Amino acid sequence: AALSGVRVGGNAEYICYVMKQTQVRVIHKASVQRALLKGHSKPVTDLQFCPLINSLMGTISQDGFAIIWELKLDETIASGSKLLFRETLRIRSNSEDSGSECFSRIKWHPKFERLFALVHGDTVSFVELSSSLWNLQKRNGEAGTPISEARGGIAQSFGEAVTSIDFNDDGTKLVTGSGMKVKIWAVDIQKLNGDSRNDGITQIYSFVAHSGGLVSHVFYVS
C-alpha cells in the first residue's frame, strides 16, 4: 500500500484537506469560497501546494494517479465570487518500467515553479510542466500520461522503496530515505529533459542511518 503523506495543507491564499478519503476540500481564505476536488477514485495519500505559485497544487492517490490542479477565484460573478478549479495534468504510475507501484510522495522544487518530484517504489521521477507535456496530456486525457513519458530525470534506489524526500533551500540538492540509507543527490535542472534523462541527477553521498534503523522521514537543513 502507498505510504501515508500529507493530508492537510495551505499557503497564503488557500487551505486544503482530504475528506471522504478520495476528495480534497479547498478553501480560499479571504473570500471563504470553497471547492471540492474529485479527481481520484481511491484514497488521497499526499498533497502539496507549489511554494512559488499559490494557485497550483498537486495530489496523489492509491488509484495510481498524480494530478496537478489550478485554482482561481472568479470575482466577476454578479452574486459574489466563486472558487474555480481545473485539472491541468494527470500522470499515471503504472507504466511499463514502474509496475503497479502507486505514487507515495509529491514534492515541488523550491525555486523552479514548473518542476516537481514524484516518488513511486524505488524511484524519484522529476517532471517539468512544459508545452510538450500539455500536448501529451491532451492526447491521453483521463487515462493520464505514463510517468515514463512525463519525466525528465530519475533518482533510483534500486530495490529499496523510497520513503521520504526533501530539497535543500535552493533546489540544487535532494535528500532521499530508503531502507536504512540516506542519499544525497545533485540536481541540475538545466539538464532535466527527456533527451538526457539521468544527466541532471547525480548521487553524491550515501550513508546508513544512525543505529541502523529504517528511515521514515528525511529533511534537508541548509
Side-chain angles (χ1 to χ4, degrees):
L3 295 167
S4 297
V6 175
R7 288 185 172 84
V8 178
N11 56 29
E13 293 185 51
Y14 300 97
I15 297 170
C16 70
Y17 55 89
V18 176
M19 61 180 296
K20 297 182 179 179
Q21 297 191 65
T22 63
Q23 304 170 9
V24 177
R25 171 69 74 189
V26 182
I27 304 173
H28 184 262
K29 291 181 179 180
S31 67
V32 202
Q33 290 297 313
R34 303 183 300 170
L36 190 60
L37 313 184
K38 298 181 178 180
H40 293 291
S41 61
K42 292 185 178 180
V44 175
T45 54
D46 198 22
L47 55 82
Q48 189 187 34
F49 280 100
C50 174
L52 301 175
I53 303 177
N54 287 339
S55 59
L56 207 58
M57 70 174 296
T59 59
I60 61 173
S61 164
Q62 289 178 3
D63 61 10
F65 288 103
I67 301 177
I68 303 301
W69 306 86
E70 186 176 6
L71 308 168
K72 180 183 179 182
L73 184 68
D74 186 353
E75 299 181 281
T76 64
I77 301 173
S79 59
S81 58
K82 183 178 182 180
L83 183 55
L84 306 178
F85 63 90
R86 70 185 183 103
E87 184 181 305
T88 63
L89 182 64
R90 175 179 286 258
I91 300 174
R92 70 174 187 265
S93 62
N94 58 336
S95 55
E96 293 179 1
D97 60 344
S98 63
S100 59
E101 290 281 2
C102 294
F103 297 119
S104 59
R105 291 286 187 273
I106 182 170
K107 190 75 175 179
W108 290 91
H109 193 275
K111 295 295 183 181
F112 188 50
E113 67 275 8
R114 298 197 304 273
L115 184 67
F116 60 94
L118 291 169
V119 176
H120 50 112
D122 64 356
T123 303
V124 181
S125 294
F126 293 80
V127 179
E128 179 185 350
L129 301 176
S130 63
S131 57
S132 60
L133 191 52
W134 302 139
N135 291 333
L136 281 174
Q137 175 62 44
K138 290 178 182 178
R139 185 189 72 191
N140 293 313
E142 291 185 0
T145 299
I147 185 60
S148 57
E149 295 181 23
R151 66 187 175 206
I154 63 173
Q156 199 161 21
S157 293
F158 300 104
E160 293 182 314
V162 176
T163 53
S164 183
I165 62 173
D166 196 23
F167 287 102
N168 69 338
D169 287 346
D170 64 8
T172 59
K173 302 289 189 301
L174 176 81
V175 60
T176 63
S178 53
M180 295 185 293
K181 293 181 181 178
V182 175
K183 299 179 181 181
I184 299 176
W185 310 75
V187 179
D188 185 345
I189 63 173
Q190 300 301 322
K191 295 181 179 179
L192 286 176
N193 59 67
D195 296 326
S196 59
R197 180 157 295 199
N198 273 346
D199 289 353
I201 311 296
T202 306
Q203 183 180 319
I204 57 177
Y205 197 63
S206 176
F207 61 91
V208 175
H210 182 66
S211 77
L214 295 176
V215 178
S216 60
H217 291 82
V218 294
F219 299 95
Y220 206 118
V221 182
S222 300

